[in-house]
Amino acid sequence: MIKKINHIGIAVNSIEEAVKLYTDVLGLKLKGVEVVADQKVKTAIIPVGESKIELLESTDPDGVIAKYIERRGEGIHHLALEVSNLQDALDTLAKQGVALIDEKPRNGVEDTKIAFLHPKGTKLLIELVEPGE
Ligand code: ZN
């Protein structure tokens, strides 16, 4: 069901500041910055081999990323695992009693479909990603 680690999401106060470590220091390339308005978040995608680092900056003091940083500070926010069929994966997990935040896929960055599992069972926020066409 799981194909690979698609990306690791890191909550930061400022993408402009945080991206310097990955580009200037670690020598990776910034692929793009995208605002997801309904999630009140700005993302920066930095490919690392077959996976990516996703920097997340809140666009609103009430956004989930702002709230997360307020509680736990900047750092790893979620682990994103890639699946080939997201709805099938969600149905399979629900049948096994895994608590889901999203029972239906929603739209993510780069034309992906995404859904989050509930962290109460997994101890870590896990995102499932189905790549775009
Ligand atoms: Zn993500």
Side-chain angles (χ1 to χ4, degrees):
M1 186 167 73
I2 306 297
K3 291 160 68 183
K4 64 174 187 180
I5 293 176
N6 180 281
H7 65 267
I8 292 169
I10 302 176
V12 300
N13 284 317
S14 162
I15 281 179
E16 199 188 331
E17 279 302 309
V19 81
K20 289 177 192 163
L21 168 71
Y22 299 97
T23 56
D24 298 353
V25 180
L26 298 177
L28 298 167
K29 294 240 179 321
L30 174 66
K31 186 173 172 204
V33 175
E34 196 173 324
V35 171
V36 185
D38 63 338
Q39 289 171 52
K40 297 176 180 167
V41 72
K42 185 160 96 175
T43 69
I45 304 290
I46 303 159
V48 186
E50 291 228 321
S51 298
K52 288 167 274 192
I53 289 168
E54 178 184 76
L55 301 178
L56 303 155
E57 175 189 322
S58 192
T59 57
D60 186 302
D62 287 330
V64 287
I65 295 302
K67 294 249 164 74
Y68 179 89
I69 291 175
E70 219 176 272
R71 283 198 322 270
R72 311 191 49 178
E74 294 178 284
I76 292 185
H77 178 260
H78 65 268
L79 171 66
L81 301 172
E82 187 171 315
V83 297
S84 44
N85 186 315
L86 182 52
Q87 188 62 66
D88 278 0
L90 292 173
D91 293 345
T92 303
L93 292 172
K95 267 184 217 147
Q96 293 175 85
V98 176
L100 307 175
I101 291 178
D102 302 301
E103 287 172 14
K104 296 272 170 219
R106 54 185 159 112
N107 296 325
V109 295
E110 296 188 307
D111 297 319
T112 54
K113 287 184 201 153
I114 64 167
F116 285 93
L117 310 186
H118 201 291
K120 77 179 176 196
T122 57
K123 311 297 177 206
L124 163 74
L125 185 58
I126 294 180
E127 176 187 357
L128 298 181
V129 183
E130 179 183 323
E133 299 294 307

